[in-house]
Amino acid sequence: MKKISEEKLIVWGARGGLPASGKEFSDFGQATSCVQLEVPGHNIIFDAGSGIANLGETILKNHEKRPIDIIIGHYHYDHIIGLPFFAPLFSESIKTRIHLPVLGKDSGLSAIDRFLSPPLFPMNRSVFSKNVSFLEFKPGDNINLGNNISCRTLSLPHPGLNTAFRVQGKNFDVVYASDVEAENSSVVDDIANFSKGTNYIFIDSSYTEKELETRRGWGHFSFQEVTDLAKKIKDTQVLIFHHDYLRTDQDLKLILQKVIKEADNLQVCKEQSVFKFPH
């Protein structure tokens, strides 16, 4: 029997576009993109969608003091809207680093400053604790997370660009690729090559093939493209993620009943899903 490591992944938000609202969306969750990688002595967080608010409250409630690294893929609102509501950013006892990609000509910090300023938001980042620091990187760079944890990055085709991350430690190896469009036939292959040998990949799966016909250029994979990816990396568990905010629980269940049958290594993300690592 395989042993299970202490490290685990917790999904705090699995929706894309906007937070969903209403009981018909509650099974898969209503919050936007946020995934926690919990390791001994460290918290690593992918994206700061609305789900990060509940994660922050949980961290404070549990009196955690572990340092935090928040890794942002891009600056569309559904991926950063929860950032100013992440309670540990106001804590004097938790060190938090926020890693920001440079996408195009503008710096990552300038994007955050535009978001955290009137009239879009009533306060700026000066309200955060002095323990909060912002670090920029370019897609393709390696990010130093410390504690013998490596983080490789990959640029993804998406309006305004996006970044995928491969985070690897002694007992875990995971890819997070939230928003991506197959602009050409090589995109699925590029992600497959980036993800080979990993335990898990979180991958954008927003549209049906029919929906994709009228949504080219919107920046997202279809379920069929996710299935194609899964077949190329059979040893990796492919986690269906970034559910459309208008897709009800019943709609998702009907679609996923068919999708899951296409490959043995497909799984579905729900809010509060937990994924552990064998070793």
Side-chain angles (χ1 to χ4, degrees):
M1 179 181 291
K2 290 184 177 180
K3 293 182 178 179
I4 301 298
S5 69
E6 293 181 67
E7 295 85 353
K8 60 185 176 183
L9 294 156
I10 304 173
V11 178
W12 292 90
R15 294 279 177 180
L18 283 174
S21 178
K23 63 181 181 180
E24 66 269 36
F25 301 93
S26 59
D27 191 9
F28 287 88
Q30 299 165 329
T32 62
S33 303
C34 180
V35 174
Q36 175 192 16
L37 171 57
E38 188 179 87
V39 303
H42 204 155
N43 262 317
I44 298 167
I45 302 169
F46 299 102
D47 274 342
S50 62
I52 203 173
N54 284 337
L55 170 54
E57 293 302 319
T58 300
I59 288 172
L60 293 193
K61 183 179 178 180
N62 293 337
H63 305 289
E64 290 189 32
K65 305 298 181 186
R66 285 180 289 177
I68 297 170
D69 280 284
I70 301 173
I71 310 173
I72 303 295
H74 67 306
Y75 303 105
H76 290 169
Y77 278 178
D78 51 329
H79 295 265
I80 61 172
I81 195 170
L83 188 65
F85 301 95
F86 184 58
L89 296 182
F90 302 89
S91 170
E92 298 296 332
S93 57
I94 302 175
K95 289 187 176 181
T96 302
R97 298 186 298 183
I98 303 173
H99 302 271
L100 303 172
V102 177
L103 304 175
K105 297 180 180 179
D106 291 338
S107 72
L109 204 54
S110 68
I112 291 296
D113 282 343
R114 286 200 298 273
F115 168 52
L116 296 179
S117 64
L120 300 178
F121 198 76
M123 296 177 289
N124 60 40
R125 58 187 169 88
S126 68
V127 300
F128 297 151
S129 160
K130 293 180 180 178
N131 285 328
V132 177
S133 58
F134 293 83
L135 304 170
E136 293 187 336
F137 67 91
K138 293 182 179 179
D141 290 348
N142 294 330
I143 300 174
N144 180 15
L145 297 178
N147 294 336
N148 295 313
I149 300 171
S150 65
C151 178
R152 293 167 52 198
T153 68
L154 175 72
S155 180
L156 296 177
H158 185 67
L161 299 178
N162 186 24
T163 318
F165 305 100
R166 180 170 180 170
V167 177
Q168 184 174 9
K170 181 180 178 182
N171 297 320
F172 59 89
D173 195 348
V174 60
V175 166
Y176 178 89
S178 65
D179 295 34
V180 57
E181 181 164 5
E183 293 181 340
N184 56 62
S185 59
S186 70
V187 172
V188 172
D189 288 334
D190 291 343
I191 295 174
N193 291 331
F194 185 70
S195 306
K196 281 180 179 175
T198 58
N199 303 111
Y200 298 102
I201 175 174
F202 290 86
I203 187 70
D204 178 4
S205 53
S206 294
Y207 301 142
T208 64
E209 283 295 291
K210 184 173 179 59
E211 289 168 343
L212 192 59
E213 292 175 5
T214 58
R215 297 179 184 183
R216 295 288 180 188
W218 289 25
H220 299 287
F221 265 8
S222 68
F223 293 106
Q224 183 58 56
E225 288 161 340
V226 171
T227 299
D228 294 343
L229 173 66
K231 291 177 179 178
K232 292 176 182 289
I233 48 172
K234 294 181 179 179
D235 293 332
T236 294
Q237 293 296 306
V238 177
L239 306 179
I240 296 172
F241 184 67
H242 205 267
H243 310 306
D244 190 278
Y245 67 97
L246 292 177
R247 189 99 59 204
T248 66
D249 294 331
Q250 187 60 30
D251 290 339
L252 266 174
K253 288 173 184 176
L254 289 173
I255 292 169
L256 294 171
Q257 281 175 0
K258 299 177 182 178
V259 172
I260 294 298
K261 294 177 182 177
E262 296 295 316
D264 293 336
N265 56 330
L266 282 169
Q267 295 189 57
V268 181
C269 287
K270 297 182 178 183
E271 202 168 311
Q272 291 302 305
S273 291
V274 176
F275 301 98
K276 297 186 177 181
F277 299 93
H279 70 97

